[in-house]
């Protein structure tokens, strides 16, 4: 019976059944934890023992008698110090208390040179063995051999220490010890490399580079041939981004970046990959489905790691911190960062539908304002391309949100190019109603009562199946509806206008103002009517302040008339001050730097007259026609063609414009060309004598237009314009005949050489010489008084 009580009974099967599963799991976990703790404790003890032995080997041993003498000397010094202290001022109890505290001193206050243990009482009669145990074992050994100290042997002569060499380490030794020994072995076995000549180094570098290129090409071709099977090779290729050979590290990393970018552009599917739920992971699927899931999971993870590598490359370049490996120099960081930015820009444009696109946007948008002009232009161009090709609006909305936050976060201290990318948004229509359901109402299905009243039982059954199928089709429909697209465009444009209005309100002297005015001029017809009145007042105050450049003032005029020509027709706003400003500043244009501003003037004239012809008086149209004809003599041929095309629209659209073609007509008053009010300058009392000069222009197309206008701009007949000129708008003619590329349109015909004494100068050469003299004097005289310019022309005309 006693034996039965002492033996531990094994629990029966019935008792195990009654025991809860949680309790059994806890027992198992506790047992495993105890085993792990014991193993960990054993490893720590072994490590401490090895460190102690190693420390003892490295130190020089000294005899026991010297240690004893040292201890006696230290005690004498302590007694002398105590005698030097003023102890007569202390009581005996205090001295005794201090001596007791000194014996119980902690590790922080003890003398580290003392060899005695701290928490051991002093023994009066210490044996030789105890003294030996207190002395650290410091034996001089060879540095190559590591010894293990054994228990000493005592004989008549004294104590004989015993040691043995440490055996070879086994496989099951501690990992930390293995790594330490490997490092020591490498340090001792390192041999100096053979010295190579520069030619040999260059040949060795070319060979290594060629090997890396072949390896990259092999991996890339394998991945592209069978992406499903070789998706694991992406990891191998991506590992080459950490190339450690300093001779080829920079080039190899650049090649791998570009190769991975092209691979991802080819193998990424046309849909976004979402993570699987726990229920989907637990469900059994076919082999093909499982293979597809593994491919998608591997693709997303490798794509994520690749983007992180690109981001880290850019951060290293920004921080200018040299890595510990010291493989790549600081000068090479910029080249790597530029390649990384190019790859991110390509992925931003090529994969707007795939995962992590918003992360790429967050990386690219701040780089649009980078100090490096090259990187800034790369990022701005990528965003422009994204805006132009984005038909749905998801990617554009994400970029606009980040740009708006960047501008606000930097306190409007960004480059104007950052805001100019808004001009490339593909937004032509927005949701003007408050409720989107008014634009695209949802499909309504019959209610149960209507079915019960109008349909039989079989018809109700069929109708139920049809409605279920229609609902599924609507949910699975891939193409976006018009209502969804309008909603995205409306949200995008609201963010753009909020950014513009903040700058107009708080940063009117900012260099961003021209970009804001240009953006308002493009999207002003989409602004909510509630803001029209305040916006027109702000634009006029900007013009009246006089702090704007000529181009900025033109953008203000264009924005105001875009507002008033659309939904602003219902508002009672008089735009006469904008007409006056444009009329007054037309002569600021010339054939020099301001010739590019003619395009904005042509756009203003189209909005001010062609779209508002019912609100424009005849006197105003005559005044602008006369001043534009005079301006056509001062500018380059492409600008002259645009102005003459606008005058042609004036003659066809407004009645009685032929008054300026008849020099014998009489009216009340005298034409006042210096007056800045187009309504009161009496333009009906002058003539378009400029057309006579333009018919002798050196550009053949300008001569054609001038002859056409001089006979009243007929739509038919011999004086009518060709179709390629009559059907093109003024801005298109301005661009088509531009000479920015130093090319003439039409091309100049080759002139054959002729002898002077045989052929007299023709009328064409005489007219060319006259036109050259007129152009030299036109800019200086016409700006002051166009009448004096007319007298000059009559005086210099051939008889």
């Amino acid at each position: 019976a006693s034996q039965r009580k002492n033996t531990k009974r094994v629990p029966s099967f019935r008792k195990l059944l009654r025991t809860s599963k949680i309790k059994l799991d806890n027992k198992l976990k506790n047992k495993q934890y105890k085993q792990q703790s014991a193993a960990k404790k054993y490893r720590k003890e072994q490590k401490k023992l090895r460190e102690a032995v190693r420390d003892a080997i490295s130190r020089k041993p000294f005899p026991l008698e010297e240690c004893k003498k040292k201890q006696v000397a230290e005690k004498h010094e302590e007694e002398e110090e105590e005698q030097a202290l003023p102890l007569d001022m202390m009581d005996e109890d205090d001295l005794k208390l201090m001596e007791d505290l000194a014996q119980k001193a902690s590790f922080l206050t003890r003398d580290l040179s003392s060899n005695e243990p701290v928490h051991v009482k002093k023994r009066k009669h210490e044996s030789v063995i105890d003294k030996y145990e207190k002395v650290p074992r410091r034996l001089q050994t060879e540095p190559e051999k590591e010894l293990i100290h054994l228990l000493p042997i005592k004989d008549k002569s004294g104590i004989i220490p015993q040691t043995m060499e440490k055996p070879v380490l086994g496989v099951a030794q501690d990992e930390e010890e293995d790594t330490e020994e490997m490092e020591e072995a490498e340090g001792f076995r390192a041999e100096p490399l053979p010295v190579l000549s520069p030619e040999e180094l260059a040949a060795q570098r070319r060979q290594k580079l060629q090997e890396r290129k072949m390896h990259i090409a092999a991996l890339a071709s394998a991945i592209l041939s069978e992406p499903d099977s070789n998706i694991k090779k992406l990891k191998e290729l991506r590992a080459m981004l950490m190339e450690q050979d300093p001779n080829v590290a920079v080039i190899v990393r650049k090649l791998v970046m570009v190769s991975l970018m092209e691979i991802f552009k080819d193998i990424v599917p046309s849909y976004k990959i979402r993570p699987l739920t726990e229920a989907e992971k637990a469900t059994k699927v076919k082999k093909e489905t499982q293979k597809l899931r593994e491919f998608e999971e591997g693709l997303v993870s490798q794509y994520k790691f690749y983007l992180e590598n690109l981001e880290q490359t850019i951060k290293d370049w920004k921080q200018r911190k040299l890595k510990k490996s010291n493989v790549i120099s600081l000068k090479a960081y910029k080249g790597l960062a530029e390649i990384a930015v190019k790859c991110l820009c390509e992925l931003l444009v090529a994969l707007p539908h795939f995962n992590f696109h918003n992360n790429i946007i967050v990386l690219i948008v701040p780089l649009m304002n980078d100090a490096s002009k090259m990187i800034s232009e790369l990022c701005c161009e990528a965003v422009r391309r994204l805006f132009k090709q984005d038909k749905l609006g998801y990617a554009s909305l994400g970029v606009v949100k980040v740009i708006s936050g960047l501008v606000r976060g930097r306190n409007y201290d960004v480059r104007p190019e950052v805001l100019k990318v808004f001009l490339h948004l593909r937004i032509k229509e927005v949701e003007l109603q408050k409720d989107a359901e008014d634009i695209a109402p949802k499909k309504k299905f019959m209610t149960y009562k209507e079915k019960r009243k109008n349909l039989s039982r079989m018809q109700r059954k069929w109708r139920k199946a049809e409605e279920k199928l229609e609902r599924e089709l609507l949910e699975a429909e891939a193409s976006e509806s018009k209502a969804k697209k309008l909603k995205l465009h409306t949200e995008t444009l609201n963010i753009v206008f909020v950014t513009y209005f903040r700058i107009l309100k708080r940063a009117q002297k900012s260099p961003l103002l021209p970009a804001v005015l240009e953006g308002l001029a493009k999207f002003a017809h989409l602004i909510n009517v509630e803001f029209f009145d305040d916006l027109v007042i702000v634009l006029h105050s900007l013009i009246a302040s006089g702090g704007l450049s000529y181009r900025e003032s033109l953008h203000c005029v264009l924005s105001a008339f875009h507002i008033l020509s659309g939904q602003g027709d219902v508002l009672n706003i008089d735009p006469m001050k904008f007409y006056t400003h444009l009329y007054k500043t037309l002569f600021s244009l010339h054939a020099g730097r301001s010739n590019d501003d003619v395009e904005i003037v042509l756009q203003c004239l189209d909005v001010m007259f062609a779209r508002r012809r019912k609100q424009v008086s005849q006197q105003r149209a005559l005044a602008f026609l006369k001043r534009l004809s005079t301006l056509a003599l001062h500018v380059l041929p492409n600008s002259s063609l645009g102005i003459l095309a606008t005058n042609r629209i004036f003659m066809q659209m407004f009645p009685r414009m032929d008054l300026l073609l008849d020099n014998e007509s009489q009216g009340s008053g005298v034409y006042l060309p210096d007056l800045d009010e187009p309504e009161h300058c009496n333009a009906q009392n002058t003539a378009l004598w400029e057309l006579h000069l333009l018919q002798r222009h050196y550009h053949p197309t300008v001569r054609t237009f001038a002859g056409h206008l001089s006979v009243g701009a007929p739509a038919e007949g011999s004086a009518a314009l060709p179709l390629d000129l009559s059907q093109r708008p003024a801005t298109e003619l301005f661009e088509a005949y531009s000479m920015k590329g130093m090319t003439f349109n039409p091309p100049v015909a080759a002139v054959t050489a002729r002898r002077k004494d045989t052929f007299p100068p023709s009328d064409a050469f005489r007219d060319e010489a006259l036109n050259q003299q007129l152009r030299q004097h036109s800019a200086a005289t016409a700006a002051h008084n166009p009448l004096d310019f007319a007298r000059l022309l009559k005086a210099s005309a051939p008889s």
Side-chain angles (χ1 to χ4, degrees), residues 697-713:
H697 200 277
Y698 71 90
H699 200 282
T701 312
V702 176
R703 293 200 299 267
T704 303
F705 253 103
H708 171 69
L709 293 179
S710 62
V711 294

Side-chain angles (χ1 to χ4, degrees), residues 59 62 67 70-71 74-75 78 103 107 109-118 122 134-136 138:
R59 295 181 183 178
F62 53 89
C67 179
K70 186 177 179 182
Q71 293 175 5
E74 288 177 355
K75 288 181 179 179
E78 290 177 0
Q103 295 298 327
F107 176 76
T109 58
R110 74 180 287 215
D111 186 6
L112 295 179
S113 61
S114 176
N115 296 317
E116 295 181 356
V118 181
K122 290 186 178 180
K134 293 179 181 179
V135 178
R138 299 174 184 174

Side-chain angles (χ1 to χ4, degrees), residues 331-344:
K331 294 181 180 179
Y333 279 4
K334 184 177 181 182
L336 284 172
E338 289 176 356
I339 298 297
V341 171
K342 287 181 181 178
C343 294
L344 286 172

